[in-house]
Amino acid sequence: MAPAAARTETATETPLLSVNNIEVVYDDVILVLRGVSLDVPTGRIVTLLGPNGAGKSTTLKAISGLLGTENGRVTRGSITFRGEEIANRPPEEIVRRGIFQVMEGRRIIEDMTVIENLRLGAFTRRDGGAAIRADIEQVFHYFPRLKERTGLAGYLSGGEQQMLAIGRAMMARPRMILLDEPSMGLSPLLVKETFAIIETLCAETGITMLLVEQNARMALKIAQFGYIMESGKIVLDGSRDDLADNEDVKEFYLGGDRERKSFKNLKSYKRRKRWL
Amino acid sequence: MISSLLLQLILNGLIVGALYGVVAMCFVLIYKSTQVVNFAQGEFLLIGAWTCWWLVTSLELPFPAAFLLTFLFMMVFGIVLQMVVLRPLIGEPVISVIMVTIGLSIFFQAVVKAIFGAWAQPFPEVFPVKSVDVFGLPVQPAYLMSLVVSVVIMVAFAWFFKYSRMGLAMRATAFDQQVAQSLGISVKGVFALAWAISAMVSALAGVVVGMVNGVSSALSFFGIKVFPAVIVGGLDSIVGAIVGGLIIGLLENLAEYADSQFLHLGNLYSVAPFYVLVIILMIKPYGLFGTKRIERV
Ligand SMILES: Nc1ncnc2c1ncn2[C@@H]1O[C@H](COP(=O)(O)OP(=O)(O)OP(=O)(O)O)[C@@H](O)[C@H]1O
Ligand SMILES: [Mg+2]
């Protein structure tokens, strides 16, 4: 047992995914990421937080290769997954390597059923129908409310569509899921439910996750580590507790604390409006 | 009351309509998965039929072998056409792509005429009997074969899009190319596959029509009939294509009946589908089965 444990220990030391100082340009001229670096260790949930337009989705697309579909490119730096360079590779290759992106806004196939959407998630798999059927059952185990929905996926509620999007990602049996703003447009209760499922799912299946969120409070509840991004740069990183205790993070991302109302803090709010 | 002429025409209408439906399906397949309006669809029939005819008459291959070889040739033809001509046009304006497919249509017609001449050539007899009896009506065996082939193709399409991995991938690509890519689907592969299937199946229809009417450039006119069929059915609906094809086939033959019995106008057979096209588009601008996207409130 001991050597196995030691191996796991070293495995967490070299991160599963490592983004090193990447620069991303859209349409050959629009510079969006200006030197972003981040690491995601095996089996962890890492969150990437930041305001609108910071470049969070762009970072995920750079990793998954979907940047190419929007005429974007990684022009500097490297992205390594399991030690191999994957920057600017086509998305189908990256899915096969084990990274699956759940895009912002869920993006399920609306004119297909739940089952058909799930089967599509398994597109790159070569193992037969029985294994895929078993995995569909596993998705239903985590998201029982999907099982009752037999109509077209377009008629699912927003929360159910998000669950389907995550379930579809699981069907690919990825090593890593890039999850973009799962809380978007969901009621607080549903956000709570969805995040709880994500947490158990990652713990039980060992899937590594890079979670992009605007809802920092929820994200920091399930992530072990976090990065904060603004205007195309990482401005802060730290463990869940470091970030949750950080005054600036509290002020800008967690919000809602009592002292915020006082005049003194309002002034400091203005002073520290930007990280850079 | 119903004369045997009328019955005969209805049967013809269904048989020809099913073939229209098959070719319309091929057209919709390309439109749905690659957003290309393929004006060269009729030429797939033409090229397929001439290829098969050449294999049977010049190389004297037995018909089944020629049929199979034609099938394979058209698959490669479709893929090469997509890769060489259409792939570089991805992202170009719709009108440019339409001009290119119109250009392809004219080009293929000219090439085929240069190689095989302008005259219709009969297919050597494939079936031992001249006609078989269906409910007391004499029907050419090639017609029967055509109906069987159409139905088999339709069932195969239905199965393919509902259950096969590539079929689902093609539907996903038709719905949203970026999502398809995020699932690991190669959009280039899907495009090539769509053209391959479309060319193969259209060629099959071409061979069947060629066996009945002889092989000639009239086959590409058969392709033109597909436009009313797809527009009646809705440009993006496979089921609509089949129904549209049947409607057009029946309509032509009923128009023929009305014309020959009562009206004596002469050419109603060819124009009736287009009248109906205009009327249907006025009532249902998306066609009978065309989809508007689901909008959840
Ligand atoms: N396809 C594109 N072409 C050009 N510019 C783009 C493209 N996609 C994003 N951008 C620009 O890149 C910047 C970062 O966008 P991105 O979508 O990565 O932000 P985000 O952090 O995900 O924001 P949000 O929280 O609103 O989703 C924005 O200024 C945006 O306008
Ligand atoms: Mg985003």
Side-chain angles (χ1 to χ4, degrees):
Chain A
M1 286 315 281
R7 260 208 309 278
T8 340
E9 212 40 58
T10 43
T12 47
E13 273 164 25
T14 43
L16 180 67
L17 175 84
S18 175
V19 175
N20 305 304
N21 205 23
I22 58 165
E23 209 174 74
V24 165
V25 175
Y26 283 112
D27 301 323
D28 294 328
V29 285
I30 310 166
L31 179 64
V32 171
L33 298 190
R34 303 178 293 157
V36 169
S37 300
L38 54 87
D39 285 342
V40 184
T42 308
R44 298 301 167 88
I45 302 179
V46 172
T47 183
L48 177 59
L49 307 169
N52 286 111
K56 307 181 296 295
S57 300
T58 301
T59 307
L60 295 194
K61 286 179 206 152
I63 299 166
S64 68
L66 287 173
L67 214 50
T69 66
E70 297 184 6
N71 200 18
R73 273 184 65 77
V74 178
T75 51
R76 214 185 61 201
S78 69
I79 304 174
T80 51
F81 183 65
R82 306 172 76 211
E84 288 174 89
E85 177 64 43
I86 58 164
N88 294 323
R89 306 300 309 161
E92 61 262 29
E93 179 191 322
I94 291 175
V95 173
R96 280 173 211 279
R97 283 173 183 264
I99 302 181
F100 199 104
Q101 178 171 0
V102 178
M103 279 187 287
E104 197 174 314
R106 334 192 197 302
R107 308 282 289 271
I108 51 151
I109 313 284
E110 293 178 358
D111 59 7
M112 290 190 189
T113 63
V114 167
I115 304 258
E116 285 172 335
N117 267 281
L118 291 176
R119 283 179 50 210
L120 268 171
F123 178 80
T124 48
R125 278 169 58 180
R126 286 286 168 210
D127 48 357
I132 287 170
R133 275 192 297 278
D135 282 5
I136 289 177
E137 282 310 312
Q138 207 204 357
V139 170
F140 287 154
H141 161 76
Y142 285 110
F143 303 105
R145 40 162 98 205
L146 287 182
K147 192 164 187 170
E148 288 128 45
R149 300 286 179 271
T150 48
L152 294 183
Y155 296 114
L156 297 179
S157 75
E160 290 161 348
Q161 292 193 351
Q162 185 62 58
M163 293 174 184
L164 179 54
I166 298 170
R168 187 173 65 180
M170 288 169 67
M171 291 301 297
R173 293 226 174 155
R175 290 171 203 278
M176 179 171 190
I177 293 179
L178 312 173
L179 186 52
D180 201 347
E181 293 202 39
S183 75
M184 189 202 255
L186 302 190
S187 71
L189 208 65
L190 209 52
V191 172
K192 238 183 173 155
E193 183 187 336
T194 311
F195 273 60
I197 298 174
I198 294 171
E199 192 176 20
T200 28
L201 187 157
C202 287
E204 289 175 11
T205 59
I207 292 177
T208 307
M209 186 166 293
L210 178 54
L211 169 67
V212 159
E213 257 304 335
Q214 299 225 21
N215 187 337
R217 186 183 296 280
M218 282 311 300
L220 287 176
K221 275 197 182 127
I222 65 168
Q224 290 97 28
F225 201 89
Y227 291 88
I228 293 176
M229 174 176 243
E230 261 180 26
S231 315
K233 285 195 167 165
I234 301 288
V235 290
L236 191 69
D237 62 67
S239 70
R240 174 222 323 249
D241 296 333
D242 288 349
L243 290 178
D245 289 341
N246 183 296
E247 288 303 318
D248 295 326
V249 175
K250 273 190 197 162
E251 204 168 331
F252 300 122
Y253 293 101
L254 300 177
D257 44 335
R258 285 163 280 113
E259 296 153 53
R260 182 98 167 249
K261 287 210 172 82
S262 82
F263 182 66
K264 210 175 97 199
N265 281 305
L266 261 182
K267 256 169 67 186
S268 89
Y269 173 77
K270 277 186 185 138
R271 203 179 62 235
R272 290 197 241 135
K273 208 166 195 164
R274 295 259 119 205
W275 292 94
L276 285 172
Chain B
M1 275 308 284
I2 300 178
S3 70
S4 76
L5 173 64
L6 184 59
L7 260 184
Q8 179 80 54
L9 285 174
I10 288 177
L11 190 63
N12 273 3
L14 286 176
I15 289 170
V16 175
L19 270 180
Y20 286 155
V22 164
V23 183
M25 250 166 33
C26 295
F27 176 90
V28 168
L29 177 63
I30 287 184
Y31 178 74
K32 255 187 103 126
S33 40
T34 73
Q35 280 82 49
V36 172
V37 178
N38 181 20
F39 280 94
Q41 197 71 42
E43 280 63 41
F44 285 163
L45 278 80
L46 190 66
I47 295 170
W50 276 120
T51 307
C52 192
W53 177 86
W54 180 75
L55 290 172
V56 170
T57 54
S58 296
L59 297 192
E60 293 178 10
L61 290 180
F63 180 74
F67 203 62
L68 203 71
L69 271 180
T70 305
F71 215 58
L72 291 177
F73 168 73
M74 290 306 287
M75 181 178 84
V76 175
F77 181 78
I79 292 174
V80 170
L81 191 64
Q82 198 278 328
M83 284 189 355
V84 175
V85 182
L86 290 136
R87 188 170 292 174
L89 291 171
I90 292 174
E92 298 296 326
V94 177
I95 189 73
S96 319
V97 182
I98 287 180
M99 295 316 282
V100 168
T101 63
I102 292 176
L104 281 177
S105 154
I106 297 169
F107 173 73
F108 289 141
Q109 280 186 35
V111 169
V112 165
K113 225 171 238 168
I115 299 176
F116 297 105
W119 305 112
Q121 300 281 356
F123 241 96
E125 274 319 315
V126 172
F127 296 102
V129 287
K130 255 255 141 321
S131 76
V132 287
D133 226 49
V134 179
F135 305 120
L137 294 169
V139 180
Q140 281 191 46
Y143 265 178
L144 268 191
M145 171 183 152
S146 140
L147 194 60
V148 171
V149 166
S150 303
V151 170
V152 167
I153 291 172
M154 286 171 189
V155 172
F157 262 59
W159 180 88
F160 179 74
F161 285 111
K162 187 84 189 132
Y163 298 108
S164 81
R165 178 173 158 273
M166 277 319 287
L168 285 179
M170 290 181 84
R171 281 167 65 196
T173 308
F175 185 81
D176 184 332
Q177 287 179 18
Q178 193 182 31
V179 171
Q181 280 170 289
S182 83
L183 301 171
I185 295 164
S186 155
V187 170
K188 282 181 186 168
V190 165
F191 284 9
L193 184 65
W195 282 83
I197 295 178
S198 189
M200 260 166 22
V201 176
S202 300
L204 215 113
V207 171
V208 168
V209 178
M211 284 167 67
V212 178
N213 297 336
V215 186
S216 75
S217 48
L219 278 172
S220 43
F221 188 68
F222 192 95
I224 291 177
K225 287 291 174 52
V226 160
F227 292 106
V230 286
I231 291 170
V232 164
L235 264 181
D236 59 355
S237 166
I238 300 259
V239 177
I242 296 174
V243 175
L246 288 173
I247 289 177
I248 298 301
L250 278 174
L251 215 84
E252 277 183 348
N253 283 278
L254 292 178
E256 165 99 340
Y257 180 71
D259 201 19
S260 65
Q261 300 291 311
F262 317 111
L263 299 172
H264 307 294
L265 291 174
N267 221 355
L268 206 54
Y269 182 85
S270 329
V271 290
F274 294 93
Y275 284 132
V276 173
L277 171 66
V278 171
I279 293 166
I280 289 190
L281 283 187
M282 283 190 321
I283 305 166
K284 296 204 73 167
Y286 290 92
L288 294 178
F289 294 84
T291 47
K292 289 179 268 177
R293 294 231 150 153
I294 294 171
E295 276 172 38
R296 227 167 31 85
V297 191

